[in-house]
């Protein structure tokens, strides 16, 4: 049995979404499952790395404004984000890990649907009610149970632990992949992930 | 006549070198000249963007340590850098622009040779004497004239202007390309530059 690909992403990150739309198909071509692992760029990039948020970084912010829609067109993805982008992704990330511990396949379906709502349907999925409603529609979950989970201190702690584990493993961006412990950062590296899977490394 | 590709890089940057070894051949396949334009990451990244140097950035520094030699192997480049990497690239960048205004083809030959000495032959090309000696060997220039140029206030000003122009154009990284005013950042984007040249954009 081949090791699953670990796929780290932030629900706020359009580049993460570009990868989310492609990584399972790439994995499947090489017999690999993909484990989705939301992280928080507010922790990895801002706190741990001590950098600024991309939109607050001169020059890079202009580049992103051009590059994100351009990359979406290249990947033929229907990019249609909310304006402004949500400032955090705590609610979807908490809901994800809460569900992941009970139903990993359902958690991935929820994540996929939330990500699509955010970046293809201009829906702000940082709003707990939106997460709960999406979980109800997608998986038939009780919205009240999802809202309770998002506010549950144990679930908050579960997310913190997941982000700490990502940092301990030195994952920092969105998307960020591990293939057999080889780290790859960026949706512009998907071709390299494929090459690694194809060749077994170089 | 097709517009030349503008290729921005820092002589300190291994990713810039990876691109330098490939970009003229890519341009040639699509009938494009390539204009090499050294910049200074110490200005663009540290001063203008207000970020830290990559080696001083937690998590990313570990990633780079693994990724730079891995990417060199992927591109089949004989990566053999000086240790530690030079802290600045003022001398080669000044020599480049001094020569560029007199002999653009010679300037590119010098840049190529300096870059190779640095990253394939473990030579610290931040040292003015090394730049002068390389210019003498590569182009038959008088080493004393090269040393004088590197120390010349007008040449220093010429480099400052070049970096200011790069910033005004919103180039910030190494490598950084413009193809018909489309910006592309990173040696992991060379495939995208090729696609743009091939298709005329998307």
């Amino acid at each position: 049995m081949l090791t699953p690909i670990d796929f780290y992403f932030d629900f706020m990150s359009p580049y993460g979404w570009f990868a989310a739309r492609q990584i399972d198909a790439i994995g499947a071509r090489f017999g690999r499952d993909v484990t989705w692992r939301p992280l928080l760029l507010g922790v990895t990039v801002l706190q741990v790395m001590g950098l600024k948020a991309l939109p607050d970084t001169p020059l890079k912010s202009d580049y992103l404004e051009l590059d994100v829609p351009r990359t979406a067109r290249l990947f033929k993805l229907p990019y249609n984000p909310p304006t402004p982008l949500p400032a955090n992704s705590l609610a979807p990330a908490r809901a994800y890990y809460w569900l992941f511990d009970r139903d990993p396949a359902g958690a991935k379906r929820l994540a996929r649907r939330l990500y699509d709502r955010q970046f293809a349907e201009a829906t702000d999925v940082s709003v707990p009610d939106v997460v709960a409603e999406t979980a109800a529609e997608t998986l038939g979950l009780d919205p009240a149970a999802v809202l309770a989970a998002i506010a549950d201190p144990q679930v908050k702690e579960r997310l913190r632990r997941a982000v700490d584990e990502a940092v301990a493993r030195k994952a920092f961006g969105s998307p960020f992949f591990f293939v057999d412990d080889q780290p790859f950062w960026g949706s512009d590296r998907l071709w390299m992930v494929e090459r690694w899977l194809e060749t077994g490394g170089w």
Side-chain angles (χ1 to χ4, degrees), chain A:
Chain A
M1 185 60 194
L2 294 165
T3 321
I5 296 167
D6 281 314
F7 165 45
Y8 293 87
F9 64 98
D10 188 313
F11 280 103
M12 281 193 307
S13 157
Y15 291 113
W17 178 62
F18 300 162
R21 294 279 297 228
Q22 304 178 64
I23 189 61
D24 286 278
I26 290 172
R29 281 215 304 284
F30 300 98
R32 303 267 190 159
D33 283 338
V34 180
T35 308
W36 290 31
R37 301 187 184 278
L39 52 67
L40 300 172
L41 294 175
V43 176
T44 59
V45 173
L46 275 57
Q47 291 175 28
V48 178
M49 300 169 84
L51 300 178
K52 291 185 281 196
L54 291 179
D56 302 332
T57 305
L59 306 185
K60 203 178 272 189
S61 55
D62 294 303
Y63 180 75
L64 290 185
E65 209 170 300
L66 179 146
D67 185 60
V68 167
R70 178 179 67 178
T71 303
R73 292 195 303 274
L74 175 62
F75 289 144
K76 302 192 190 309
L77 296 174
Y79 183 63
N80 177 26
T83 310
L85 280 182
N88 81 68
S89 40
L90 288 169
R94 286 180 192 153
Y96 178 86
Y97 283 110
W98 167 71
L99 192 56
F100 181 78
D101 293 339
R102 288 151 188 79
D103 172 10
K108 192 191 280 193
R109 281 175 60 205
L110 175 61
R112 195 176 272 134
R113 184 71 194 113
L114 285 168
Y115 232 161
D116 281 353
R117 288 198 74 180
Q118 172 132 308
F119 285 113
E121 298 168 21
T123 307
D124 180 347
V125 304
S126 71
V127 178
D129 281 331
V130 172
V131 175
E133 165 202 305
T134 307
E137 285 170 7
T138 309
L139 302 168
L141 295 178
D142 174 12
V146 179
L147 285 173
I150 289 169
D152 182 341
Q154 288 194 3
V155 175
K156 294 180 183 181
E157 180 53 32
R158 173 70 177 88
L159 172 59
R160 264 193 295 271
R161 208 169 60 237
V163 177
D164 286 348
E165 284 168 7
V167 169
R169 216 175 162 191
K170 302 185 173 171
F172 53 87
S174 173
F176 201 102
F177 311 95
F178 283 96
V179 180
D180 299 334
D181 290 325
Q182 279 288 317
F184 295 92
W185 169 41
S187 63
D188 44 12
R189 293 286 188 112
L190 282 167
W191 65 275
M192 217 181 271
V193 170
E194 285 193 71
R195 187 85 63 94
W196 192 272
L197 288 164
E198 205 166 8
T199 60
W202 55 80

